[in-house]
Amino acid sequence: MTGVVEPPFLVALNLTRRCNLHCAHCYLDAGVRRAGDPAELTTGEVRDLLDQIAALGDETMIVLTGGEPLLRPDLPEIAAHAAKLGLMTVVGTNGMLLTEPRVEALMAAGVAAVGISLDSLDPDHHDRFRGLPGAFVRTLAGIEACRRAGLTFQLHFSVTDDNADELEAMIAFARDVGAAVLNIFFLVCTGRGQQITNISLATYDRVLARAVEAAREEPELLVRVRCAPHFKRLAMEADPPLPVTLADGYEAGGCLAGTRYCRVTPSGEITPCPYMEVAAGALREQDFATIWREAPLFHRLRAPRLEGRCGACEYAKLCGGCRARPLARSGALMGEDFLCSYRPKGGATVEPLRDRGAALVWSPEAERRLARVPGFVRRFVRRRTEDHVRARGEEVVRAEHLDELARRRFGSGGPPGGFRRPGAS
């Protein structure tokens, strides 16, 4: 493969299959276990992996997840090592074990935020979906523990036909409890998720359309969509277009699998995303950088030859469809995404934004402001700011330019806490 391969934007580390729940949709098919799988990466192996990721650059976000990562006693040690390397570190959890002491330990280790799964505001529905009575109450207690301690938290809402009507209430709840982000997930039929109803095309389109509106309307809450690359098309078709697409220098909504994102399984295999069970390589056989840069599977995803409607679509480069869905259904990695209802119109291909010239000069204060932006989005903020300055016919990036763009996106309150490094003002 020719050209430079950029470091990953995001790496999800599935630290364990152990879990205190039995969720109907679990892609890992995790279960209730007293002891971890003997094949799980050791603390030392995880630390070595983090060293390898950091050697590629400090603009990668690390998500420590599972199973339930809080069931690994070494979680604070792992998180502290990642944070020490300058990697933005987030913990993905069901929230049930987020007691005040646990939250304080995570903050002391340098965890920037936690992502908490909440699938319904109806306790009975959430508990059934999660496979344990009382799960809802304990998850809410975990949210409250984060709120009291000042630990930034996101909410993760997995949408199905059964709970899609709760979207409006979930947006309001996330806003009211002080979540920095509401991530709306669309299930991919892998793991135990193969055994439940996914979502109809009509519901899928309706939820995406509302998500586009909410992403524009919410000044304090970031509303983002996961595992639904078509969000980018809807964002561009909005009037006026919503600037959260790669064409505007931002990654929200699109599929990152194998291009800017990968997952590490508990035993050290690397896959393009959590919903793709096919491995690109194994850490006990190759180092992370070699797999990331050279794995044939990643090469295919970075230069895709899409089939069906995806291959004929004018949004093929901007969206490209979910690759995990056709892979899970028929084994066709490049097959069309069957959850997309869009019919290509034969127009010109929508091209992602490209660099428009040499980098501009940044004032010292602007550089200081940029340094406060989490590494995993810093290069996109830099790119978008420079485009803004060029459009004004100027040659020097000043702090006022960053302030102006922040006000446009977030209103007078500025970015939510999840987009500030701990301790940054």
Side-chain angles (χ1 to χ4, degrees):
M1 182 177 181
T2 60
V4 177
V5 178
E6 291 188 354
F9 172 78
L10 174 66
V11 177
L13 304 188
N14 287 136
L15 294 176
T16 183
R17 289 183 181 272
R18 294 177 63 198
C19 192
N20 49 356
L21 291 176
H22 195 269
C23 303
H25 64 297
C26 182
Y27 61 79
L28 199 63
D29 200 13
V32 179
R33 299 176 181 176
R34 294 183 180 275
D37 186 336
E40 285 179 2
L41 296 176
T42 65
T43 306
E45 286 177 315
V46 176
R47 288 169 62 99
D48 183 56
L49 167 62
L50 293 168
D51 290 342
Q52 294 176 44
I53 294 171
L56 297 177
D58 66 352
E59 297 187 346
T60 299
M61 180 169 72
I62 301 295
V63 179
L64 303 175
T65 184
E68 175 47 60
L70 287 166
L71 289 175
R72 272 194 69 142
D74 58 355
L75 179 64
E77 179 183 348
I78 290 171
H81 189 70
K84 183 179 179 181
L85 292 169
L87 301 169
M88 185 172 184
T89 307
V90 175
V91 172
T93 172
N94 58 46
M96 292 174 54
L97 300 178
L98 286 174
T99 61
E100 290 188 19
R102 287 283 183 88
V103 170
E104 291 172 1
L106 293 178
M107 295 179 72
V111 169
V114 294
I116 302 173
S117 298
L118 185 65
D119 300 307
S120 175
L121 297 176
D122 176 350
D124 290 338
H125 181 89
H126 178 86
D127 291 356
R128 286 195 304 272
F129 201 60
R130 291 281 161 178
L132 183 71
F136 179 84
V137 172
R138 293 177 64 183
T139 294
L140 259 58
I143 292 172
E144 179 61 16
C146 293
R147 192 191 63 79
R148 285 197 300 266
L151 176 59
T152 297
F153 63 93
Q154 308 175 1
L155 295 184
H156 297 171
F157 178 47
S158 295
V159 180
T160 69
D161 279 331
D162 294 329
N163 66 358
D165 289 340
E166 291 194 57
L167 176 59
E168 208 65 47
M170 190 63 72
I171 294 171
F173 177 82
R175 181 199 316 123
D176 292 345
V177 297
V181 181
L182 174 63
N183 281 319
I184 303 169
F185 282 84
F186 292 86
L187 301 181
V188 178
C189 295
T190 59
R192 282 200 300 272
Q194 295 176 7
Q195 302 170 16
I196 67 171
T197 300
N198 200 317
I199 191 169
S200 66
L201 280 174
T203 303
Y204 186 83
D205 287 345
R206 175 166 56 86
V207 171
L208 278 180
R210 178 63 188 110
V212 170
E213 294 175 352
R216 189 195 304 279
E217 295 169 355
E218 296 294 331
E220 302 295 332
L221 175 70
L222 283 179
V223 178
R224 301 190 299 194
V225 172
R226 293 290 177 253
C227 306
H230 328 102
F231 180 80
K232 287 188 171 185
R233 173 179 56 80
L234 293 177
M236 289 194 70
E237 291 176 345
D239 186 17
L242 182 65
V244 292
T245 73
L246 186 57
D248 289 294
Y250 187 67
E251 293 287 355
C255 180
L256 310 178
T259 60
R260 294 171 297 278
Y261 173 38
C262 68
R263 180 271 296 257
V264 181
T265 71
S267 58
E269 292 187 324
I270 298 181
T271 73
C273 82
Y275 302 111
M276 291 190 191
E277 298 176 354
V278 57
L283 289 170
R284 286 170 174 153
E285 299 174 4
Q286 292 178 292
D287 63 272
F288 180 85
T290 298
I291 298 171
W292 177 251
R293 291 169 175 161
E294 301 179 10
L297 177 58
F298 289 161
H299 284 198
R300 289 188 68 193
L301 290 165
R302 291 166 189 161
R305 296 182 178 181
L306 302 176
E307 301 167 359
R309 285 181 296 128
C310 287
C313 186
E314 56 268 37
Y315 293 96
K317 290 186 178 181
L318 195 66
C319 166
C322 174
R323 298 296 94 221
R325 288 195 181 98
L327 180 65
R329 171 175 279 193
S330 64
L333 179 65
M334 295 298 159
E336 70 176 45
D337 187 341
F338 53 85
L339 265 186
C340 177
S341 62
Y342 182 72
R343 297 290 170 181
K345 296 180 172 58
T349 300
V350 178
E351 294 286 344
L353 182 70
R354 303 299 181 192
D355 290 335
R356 298 179 181 174
L360 301 178
V361 175
W362 285 62
S363 73
E365 177 58 23
E367 287 282 11
R368 284 192 290 271
R369 295 280 188 91
L370 186 67
R372 297 175 186 173
V373 176
F376 75 104
V377 293
R378 192 180 303 136
R379 63 180 178 269
F380 304 114
V381 172
R382 177 182 289 276
R383 181 188 303 166
R384 190 172 182 200
T385 303
E386 291 188 351
D387 284 340
H388 171 68
V389 173
R390 288 191 186 96
R392 293 167 59 103
E394 300 179 28
E395 298 179 352
V396 178
V397 179
R398 302 187 306 276
E400 302 91 278
H401 296 130
L402 290 165
D403 291 339
E404 181 179 353
L405 289 174
R407 284 193 300 271
R408 285 187 187 179
R409 175 63 185 89
F410 303 107
S412 59
F419 278 73
R420 302 187 189 104
R421 287 190 182 277
S425 59

